[in-house]
Amino acid sequence: MAAGAAEDPQDRLSGLPDDVLHSIIGRVPFKQAVRTNALSRRWPRLWLHALAASGVLDFTDRGFVRSQSRAHIVATVNRCLRVRGGGAPIDVLRVSLCPFGAFERDVVGWIAAALRRGAREVDVNLTQGRVELGAAFVNCRTELELPGDLFCAESSLARLSLGRCSLSNVPPGAPGLAGLTSLSLTHVDITDDAVRDTVACCRLLEFLSLRNCHLLKFVRIAGENLRGLEVVGCLDVRQLQVAAPALESFAFHGDILYFKYREDESLEFEPVEFIGKGNNTQTPSEATPLLRDAYLSHIGFGVYDDPLHEFAFSNLMEKVAHAKILTICSVGLLKRAISMSS
């Protein structure tokens, strides 16, 4: 048997037709697909063609990123784009890199190429590499600055997820964002006005996620089609105003939201408002969306004031208490129990 193997330098797997091998490689993780380079000279061409043919360019495998040099990673992505052909469509582009500073120009170029070729989903995650200190995370780098003209042209983009990117140069009403149905922003320097204007321009938006966006303070969101909203770790948020009659899922994980009073002690605004038809906040049946599920969690940064937090958190829970599935953290549950027993 050993002698027979020596006479045939090519293994049986390599002898299969290209279409069969493309199907096999397309079903294994990216990292393992790249490792087939070691089998023979034929395999690099096979896995590149298999990846490109799928229309889903996924470069989020942490093992691959950590085990390759910057030059090799850039060359691999560029080769996949070339193999795909200058005009061949790309359905999905997913990129997760660290440290992103070494790939800054390349990442912007990849996004632009995907948009030009009809990508419906773009996911760029550059949030890896934070340093954990106790219960908090310290950011080790700034955001990747996206050019203002990146989304200037109309596109097929429906799902956009950005992690540690700067949108300061991107106008909220950019034509390339108009067709979004899902928008997820993590560690993005977006402002209150930019959130409001972006959601207003994305009339098809159904899901919005804001995570660790520390410029947000008074968030105002209005979307007729918005069905899912999550505000997580945005620690400076003090007011959340939502006009979304179709909202089904709501999640808030962060510091407590405060009431604000005028000098005459009258209420200036409530921390959370659900606005119904005609900007109505008074009639619950019209102002409150029919939530399917709601999740509330209080992180508890800063000085804890028992009466204030008990009142504020109870008010927040009352806004979503009608949800069919209500999940609250232990602190919120304790405060709710105290409020009900008093």
Side-chain angles (χ1 to χ4, degrees), residues 74 105 125 157 261 295 322:
V74 171
R105 293 183 179 179
N125 178 14
L157 191 62
Y261 294 91
Y295 173 87
H322 63 285

Side-chain angles (χ1 to χ4, degrees), residues 208-224:
L208 175 64
S209 173
L210 302 169
R211 291 176 172 265
N212 303 104
C213 298
H214 297 310
L215 293 183
L216 298 180
K217 299 182 184 299
F218 302 96
V219 181
R220 292 154 291 172
I221 297 169
E224 288 293 324

Side-chain angles (χ1 to χ4, degrees), residues 218 238-239 256-262 266-273 307-316 318-319:
F218 302 96
R238 289 296 174 265
Q239 184 190 25
I256 200 71
L257 302 181
Y258 292 95
F259 288 80
K260 185 176 181 180
Y261 294 91
R262 300 183 179 92
S266 62
L267 184 64
E268 183 173 337
F269 63 74
E270 293 188 12
V272 177
E273 288 184 291
L308 176 62
H309 283 67
E310 175 186 336
F311 181 50
F313 203 90
S314 295
N315 176 268
L316 177 56
E318 288 173 1
K319 299 287 186 179

Side-chain angles (χ1 to χ4, degrees), residues 148 151 167-178 180 183 190-202:
F151 302 100
L167 292 174
S168 59
N169 295 325
V170 178
L177 302 176
L180 289 180
L183 177 62
I190 193 166
T191 63
D192 298 326
D193 290 344
V195 168
R196 179 198 61 201
D197 296 342
T198 298
V199 175
C201 294
C202 300

Side-chain angles (χ1 to χ4, degrees), residues 243-260:
L247 194 67
E248 298 176 352
S249 179
F250 173 69
F252 178 83
H253 179 57
D255 204 358
I256 200 71
L257 302 181
Y258 292 95
F259 288 80
K260 185 176 181 180

Side-chain angles (χ1 to χ4, degrees), residues 304 306-307 309-311 314 317 330-342:
Y304 197 92
D306 276 339
H309 283 67
E310 175 186 336
F311 181 50
S314 295
M317 284 193 290
S330 58
V331 173
L333 183 60
L334 175 61
K335 293 303 170 186
R336 180 62 172 173
I338 293 174
S339 176
M340 293 178 65
S341 62
S342 60

Side-chain angles (χ1 to χ4, degrees), residues 46-102:
L46 287 172
W47 72 258
L48 275 172
H49 279 275
L51 179 63
S54 70
V56 178
L57 301 184
D58 191 328
F59 304 97
T60 58
D61 187 286
R62 291 190 178 186
F64 167 71
V65 173
R66 291 174 180 174
S67 62
Q68 305 295 327
S69 66
R70 175 203 172 277
H72 187 272
I73 293 172
V74 171
T76 298
V77 179
N78 289 338
R79 287 174 65 190
C80 286
L81 290 172
R82 285 198 303 271
V83 170
R84 188 78 184 141
I90 295 174
D91 298 323
V92 178
L93 173 67
R94 300 190 186 106
V95 177
S96 180
L97 298 172
C98 176
F100 84 85

